[in-house]
Protein backbone atom coordinates (compact mmCIF):
# COMPACT_ATOMS: atom_id res chain seq x y z
CA UNK A 1 0.00 0.00 0.00
CA UNK A 2 1.32 3.45 -0.91
CA UNK A 3 0.16 6.96 -0.15
CA UNK A 4 -0.47 9.79 -2.63
CA UNK A 5 3.26 10.60 -2.90
CA UNK A 6 4.03 7.00 -3.92
CA UNK A 7 5.90 5.99 -0.77
CA UNK A 8 4.90 3.52 1.90
CA UNK A 9 3.32 4.87 5.08
CA UNK A 10 5.41 4.86 8.27
CA UNK A 11 5.41 1.50 10.08
CA UNK A 12 4.17 1.92 13.64
CA UNK A 13 6.06 0.08 16.37
CA UNK A 14 2.73 -0.89 17.95
CA UNK A 15 1.50 -2.52 14.72
CA UNK A 16 0.67 -6.24 15.00
CA UNK A 17 1.90 -6.73 11.43
CA UNK A 18 5.49 -7.53 10.63
CA UNK A 19 7.58 -4.97 8.82
CA UNK A 20 7.73 -5.92 5.10
CA UNK A 21 11.04 -7.52 4.19
CA UNK A 22 12.72 -6.15 1.09
CA UNK A 23 14.04 -8.90 -1.15
CA UNK A 24 17.80 -8.79 -1.75
CA UNK A 25 18.81 -9.81 -5.26
CA UNK A 26 22.30 -11.28 -5.67
CA UNK A 27 24.71 -9.68 -8.13
CA UNK A 28 26.63 -12.03 -10.40
CA UNK A 29 29.64 -11.36 -12.63
CA UNK A 30 30.89 -13.22 -15.72
CA UNK A 31 33.10 -16.20 -14.73
CA UNK A 32 31.54 -16.50 -11.24
CA UNK A 33 31.35 -20.12 -10.08
CA UNK A 34 27.82 -20.94 -8.93
CA UNK A 35 25.70 -23.79 -7.67
CA UNK A 36 22.06 -24.33 -8.63
CA UNK A 37 19.70 -26.54 -6.63
CA UNK A 38 18.44 -28.30 -9.78
CA UNK A 39 21.30 -28.08 -12.33
CA UNK A 40 24.36 -28.38 -10.06
CA UNK A 41 27.71 -26.61 -10.47
CA UNK A 42 28.18 -24.05 -13.21
CA UNK A 43 29.88 -20.89 -14.41
CA UNK A 44 28.23 -17.58 -15.34
CA UNK A 45 28.89 -16.93 -19.04
CA UNK A 46 26.64 -13.97 -19.85
CA UNK A 47 24.81 -11.21 -18.00
CA UNK A 48 22.04 -9.06 -19.42
CA UNK A 49 19.56 -6.68 -17.83
CA UNK A 50 16.96 -9.37 -17.10
CA UNK A 51 18.86 -12.62 -16.48
CA UNK A 52 22.17 -14.45 -16.23
CA UNK A 53 23.24 -17.33 -18.46
CA UNK A 54 25.02 -20.16 -16.68
CA UNK A 55 26.96 -22.99 -18.33
CA UNK A 56 26.38 -26.25 -16.44
CA UNK A 57 28.60 -28.35 -18.71
CA UNK A 58 25.97 -30.22 -20.74
CA UNK A 59 23.62 -27.26 -21.04
CA UNK A 60 23.44 -23.49 -20.69
CA UNK A 61 20.48 -22.11 -18.78
CA UNK A 62 19.18 -18.53 -18.65
CA UNK A 63 18.08 -17.77 -15.08
CA UNK A 64 15.94 -14.76 -14.15
CA UNK A 65 16.02 -12.87 -10.83
CA UNK A 66 15.52 -13.23 -7.88
CA UNK A 67 17.88 -16.23 -8.37
CA UNK A 68 16.28 -18.19 -5.50
CA UNK A 69 18.06 -21.48 -6.34
CA UNK A 70 21.36 -19.99 -7.56
CA UNK A 71 24.20 -19.52 -5.07
CA UNK A 72 27.76 -18.13 -5.25
CA UNK A 73 30.61 -20.54 -4.50
Amino acid sequence: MTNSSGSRPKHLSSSPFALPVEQVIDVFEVDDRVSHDLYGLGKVTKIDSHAVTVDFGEQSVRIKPPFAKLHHL
Side-chain angles (χ1 to χ4, degrees):
M1 183 168 104
T2 59
N3 59 21
S4 60
S5 66
S7 62
R8 290 187 173 269
K10 181 179 176 185
H11 186 275
L12 300 175
S13 61
S14 61
S15 174
F17 301 102
L19 188 63
V21 177
E22 291 189 27
Q23 192 172 35
V24 177
I25 298 178
D26 288 330
V27 177
F28 294 94
E29 300 289 331
V30 174
D31 292 332
D32 279 354
R33 304 294 275 156
V34 295
S35 173
H36 190 277
D37 294 348
L38 181 63
Y39 301 110
L41 299 175
K43 184 176 178 181
V44 176
T45 57
K46 182 180 176 186
I47 299 173
D48 60 41
S49 60
H50 300 290
V52 296
T53 303
V54 182
D55 179 20
F56 292 104
E58 296 179 2
Q59 62 181 334
S60 288
V61 180
R62 188 169 182 262
I63 302 172
K64 296 181 181 180
F67 312 117
K69 297 181 179 183
L70 191 64
H71 311 283
H72 283 101
L73 291 181

